[in-house]
Amino acid sequence: MHLLHQRGPLHDLPDTPEAYDAVLADVVEQALARLTPEGNLEHPDCVDDIGDTSLGITSLLVLALQRTEDPRLPEAVHRSLAFHLRERVYVEDNPGYPNLRIRNSGFPYARYVLQAGAHPIGDWPSTVWALLQAVNILDAPDGLIDIDQRAKLLEVARGYWRWLTEATFFNPQEAGNQAIGCVVGGLMLARHLPPQEGESVRARALSLYADEIRARRVRDRGALLPPEHGGAYDNNYGPISLSFLAQAHRVSGEEVFAEDGDALARYIDARLTNGGFDNGGPRYSEQHSGFEAVLGLRYFSHRIGSDLGRYRGDTRWGRHAVQPDGGIDGHFAFMLVWQIQDRTRWHRTPSTGPVRHQLRAGTVSVAFDDRMTPSLVEAAGTYYLPAAVNRQHGFGPVVDGFLLCRPMGEVRVRDVRTDGLAAKLVTKPVVGRDHVLRHVQSLYVTDGTILWVMVAVERLDGTPYLLAGLPYATDDGERVRRTAEGEVTSAGGLRLTHPEAEGVDFFDARSELTQQQAAFALAADPRGYGNPDEGWRHLVRSTALEADPAPGAPEGLTVFALRYGPGGPYAPVVERTPEGLAVRTEAFTATIGDPAGDGSGEPVLTLLNPV
């Protein structure tokens, strides 16, 4: 089976003016065919996320009119805008909405579900989206919109802003993308207001960003990130936040948005594999965005000088939102407007500097979590997740059922690149159930095609093995396919094990269950609201690669040696030398030395191609 949402790299979608003209031409034809006598442009099957959708398609028609002067469009714009102003602007409180600070304010808002009280919790983001659709229309040159309608829309947009920032609690779902979107709406609205009022709205938007978003950022992997539904980053919403930061910088010129966008972009770059596959997040583990991410990834790929467009998006939403039948849905249409207006082009080559939380070269990559344990390994087109044993998750030595990967002290990292090779040495102190402190040294080396991993630790008693990953997915043309195997070689014995028990606590990679589905089954909250990462942490056991120690290890050490990817015979040699611990394979020689003697205690790594 193919993974549903992780499809093609977003930079593969043509983004020339001609390509966008073709997209708008398709939108126009669909919209004109759909337009009802009342002026409604909503998809007939749309139920939720609906309050801004007709207005969103209207904004696309306004952009198309501006670019093409199509004589069919003025009437369609007039009728559809009249429909929104007449039928989709609500001023009476939605029954059951829990986040009001002021009742019966009379301020306009947009509904997530049209039926009163049906699902009011989504009204806050829906009103943000409606505000953004409105300001895009207000940005149109004079003469494209009926002057009376424009005045009414401006008054509604002013009311949307007041509802979002006065009548309700700000950012009630603790969703960074929604909150930054609201700030963008205020910044764009301010430009259409009288100077004094406009400056007040702009100042309020900036203060909300500083006090309600930036001050509450969450640290992950060394970066401060806008919180997203209770976590630091989400595969779906994180790149959307990046797009909102890009637009905030475009319209305001405030450097804080560029600085924070750079930080988020570098974080995404570090956690992304070369193939663009990613996994993990507080709301959706695998459900990636599509066109909503393009603006941010493209804008900041240029700023940080890396190929963020490799990100695998849901290309069914590559241009705009659609319903299951493929018909356009106006949800989030403002993002398509902005990416058409933005002239930044993709930066298509990787950054070359070493990054603490990633090793990357060619078609090989290892992304590391906060503990500097691999969170995702990519080699030969296959993606490996951390495996689980006895409710412990990660990559690392296992002794008596206990996984040695959680650091008990400072984790030190050394990066080396030379002669076509890239390497990362990670040293961490760990404590087992016996309370003995041990130092684990993990060496990762790649030539861009193959990944070699060597793990050394003080001698482990019993029958230790290396938990070496859960083979989960593999590239299959333009899609990503589930898998339960990978091309891995071990210097010791190697086996692929699967849970013998059944149930939600056990994950067998041979099943047709995705990681996200399995994680939500274990989460405390319903699917779509809970944190699948938290649920996944309750997993007892998973499919796992288990590697036995390599033969011939130096006295006092247990050593594991693996090779991910193709290759012939594999017989690495590990020995002690006066310079330190030497590792020799068919492709390189590495020496892990003692600290340099400068008082820093940092490990020393040298790397050479074989003579």
Side-chain angles (χ1 to χ4, degrees):
M1 59 175 284
H2 287 108
L3 296 180
L4 185 61
H5 298 284
Q6 302 210 27
R7 295 178 177 238
L10 290 177
H11 64 199
D12 287 352
L13 295 168
D15 63 347
T16 63
E18 293 77 17
Y20 283 129
D21 283 340
V23 172
L24 284 176
D26 176 60
V27 169
V28 166
E29 297 307 320
Q30 286 195 55
L32 292 178
R34 179 185 300 172
L35 186 65
T36 68
E38 297 79 19
N40 190 350
L41 286 170
E42 295 161 358
H43 191 287
D45 295 335
C46 186
V47 175
D48 54 21
D49 262 326
I50 192 172
D52 68 302
T53 61
S54 183
L55 189 63
I57 296 181
T58 301
S59 74
L60 292 173
L61 296 184
V62 170
L63 181 61
L65 177 59
Q66 183 179 341
R67 290 166 71 93
T68 67
E69 299 182 356
D70 186 327
R72 301 173 297 171
L73 294 181
E75 176 62 18
V77 167
H78 183 85
R79 286 168 54 194
S80 61
L81 186 52
F83 169 80
H84 180 83
L85 293 170
R86 183 180 67 249
E87 304 289 343
R88 294 296 180 258
V89 177
Y90 296 85
V91 294
E92 295 182 356
D93 294 351
N94 200 350
Y97 186 71
N99 300 312
L100 290 175
R101 300 177 63 182
I102 302 173
R103 296 194 179 277
N104 302 314
S105 67
F107 296 146
Y109 66 95
R111 284 187 177 174
Y112 178 76
V113 174
L114 299 181
Q115 181 182 351
H119 192 23
I121 195 70
D123 289 356
W124 201 87
S126 289
T127 304
V128 174
W129 313 150
L131 171 61
L132 293 171
Q133 315 283 23
V135 292
N136 275 346
I137 295 173
L138 293 172
D139 278 351
D142 292 342
L144 288 188
I145 307 297
D146 178 88
I147 190 170
D148 291 335
Q149 284 188 322
R150 188 185 187 285
K152 292 178 182 177
L153 183 62
L154 177 59
E155 191 60 28
V156 167
R158 181 189 275 117
Y160 284 155
W161 172 254
R162 295 194 66 187
W163 188 85
L164 290 164
T165 60
E166 298 177 32
T168 71
F169 290 96
F170 184 79
N171 190 21
Q173 295 183 27
E174 297 183 355
N177 76 98
Q178 298 173 8
I180 305 171
C182 182
V183 168
V184 172
L187 294 172
M188 296 182 70
L189 173 66
R191 303 183 301 184
H192 297 285
L193 300 173
Q196 186 173 356
E197 182 185 2
E199 183 52 40
S200 175
V201 169
R202 176 186 168 92
R204 175 69 170 146
L206 294 175
S207 69
L208 285 170
Y209 182 74
D211 300 336
E212 300 293 335
I213 303 171
R214 197 166 198 265
R216 303 186 182 189
R217 288 177 297 171
V218 179
R219 184 176 296 277
D220 186 40
R221 307 185 196 192
L224 285 171
L225 309 171
E228 192 57 67
H229 289 286
Y233 177 81
D234 184 280
N235 294 339
N236 185 38
Y237 295 122
I240 294 175
S241 285
L242 192 65
S243 288
F244 282 130
L245 287 169
Q247 182 66 4
H249 186 241
R250 290 182 68 234
V251 300
S252 74
E254 294 288 337
E255 277 304 301
V256 65
F257 299 118
E259 293 169 4
D260 292 354
D262 287 349
L264 177 54
R266 291 191 180 98
Y267 172 87
I268 293 173
D269 193 32
R271 68 177 291 144
L272 265 186
T273 58
N274 289 295
F277 175 82
D278 192 11
N279 185 274
R283 183 81 179 271
Y284 295 111
S285 293
E286 296 181 291
Q287 186 166 321
H288 281 35
S289 52
F291 77 100
E292 314 101 308
V294 167
L295 174 66
L297 293 170
R298 192 174 67 191
Y299 190 83
F300 286 101
S301 74
H302 179 76
R303 283 188 55 90
I304 71 169
S306 194
D307 55 336
L308 294 177
R310 70 188 189 277
Y311 178 97
R312 284 187 181 269
D314 192 334
T315 50
R316 295 170 301 178
W317 281 40
R319 301 301 194 181
H320 47 67
V322 296
Q323 287 290 326
D325 66 357
I328 185 173
D329 184 317
H331 181 53
F332 254 67
F334 48 83
M335 283 292 189
L336 177 57
V337 173
W338 298 341
Q339 65 171 277
I340 291 174
Q341 293 171 338
D342 179 53
R343 299 305 177 94
T344 308
R345 300 278 67 84
W346 290 109
H347 182 98
R348 294 182 176 271
T349 57
S351 57
T352 57
V355 177
R356 178 179 174 89
H357 291 93
Q358 188 185 65
L359 174 68
R360 181 184 177 205
T363 58
V364 171
S365 57
V366 185
F368 297 86
D369 63 17
D370 258 341
R371 306 176 304 182
M372 287 307 297
T373 297
S375 61
L376 191 56
V377 172
E378 172 194 25
T382 297
Y383 304 99
Y384 303 83
L385 304 179
V389 57
N390 297 334
R391 296 190 187 276
Q392 303 159 96
H393 298 228
F395 286 73
V398 177
V399 57
D400 295 331
F402 189 81
L403 175 62
L404 299 172
C405 74
R406 289 167 298 281
M408 183 66 70
E410 189 67 23
V411 180
R412 301 175 187 267
V413 179
R414 177 59 60 94
D415 284 276
V416 172
R417 288 178 180 262
T418 181
D419 298 327
L421 297 171
K424 185 183 294 288
L425 173 64
V426 177
T427 65
K428 63 172 73 171
V430 301
V431 174
R433 293 196 191 278
D434 56 7
H435 297 276
V436 174
L437 181 69
R438 295 178 173 86
H439 293 271
V440 176
Q441 296 178 311
S442 301
L443 175 65
Y444 307 85
V445 182
T446 181
D447 63 357
T449 301
I450 296 170
L451 173 68
W452 292 268
V453 177
M454 189 278 292
V455 178
V457 63
E458 287 94 333
R459 176 72 68 184
L460 299 173
D461 297 327
T463 55
Y465 65 89
L466 185 75
L467 194 65
L470 156 65
Y472 179 70
T474 188
D475 291 333
D476 185 14
E478 295 182 353
R479 298 290 300 277
V480 179
R481 176 173 49 83
R482 278 290 312 281
T483 190
E485 57 188 18
E487 195 170 4
V488 182
T489 308
S490 172
L494 181 68
R495 56 197 166 272
L496 181 65
T497 65
H498 304 285
E500 296 180 0
E502 297 182 356
V504 294
D505 296 318
F506 303 90
F507 184 79
D508 191 327
R510 297 170 298 184
S511 71
E512 292 195 354
L513 195 67
T514 67
Q515 185 272 349
Q516 180 176 295
Q517 290 170 326
F520 267 125
L522 291 165
D525 299 300
R527 177 176 171 82
Y529 299 96
N531 183 338
D533 276 4
E534 286 185 357
W536 186 252
R537 282 192 284 270
H538 293 296
L539 193 72
V540 173
R541 191 172 184 88
S542 72
T543 292
L545 283 164
E546 300 176 356
D548 292 330
E555 184 177 357
L557 286 182
T558 298
V559 175
F560 306 93
L562 293 173
R563 183 181 64 198
Y564 295 77
Y570 184 53
V573 176
V574 181
E575 58 185 357
R576 293 192 188 275
T577 70
E579 291 76 27
L581 191 65
V583 181
R584 289 198 297 272
T585 74
E586 74 280 11
F588 65 88
T589 298
T591 302
I592 301 170
D594 294 327
D598 60 2
S600 69
E602 293 297 327
V604 175
L605 174 64
T606 59
L607 185 66
L608 297 171
N609 277 317
V611 178

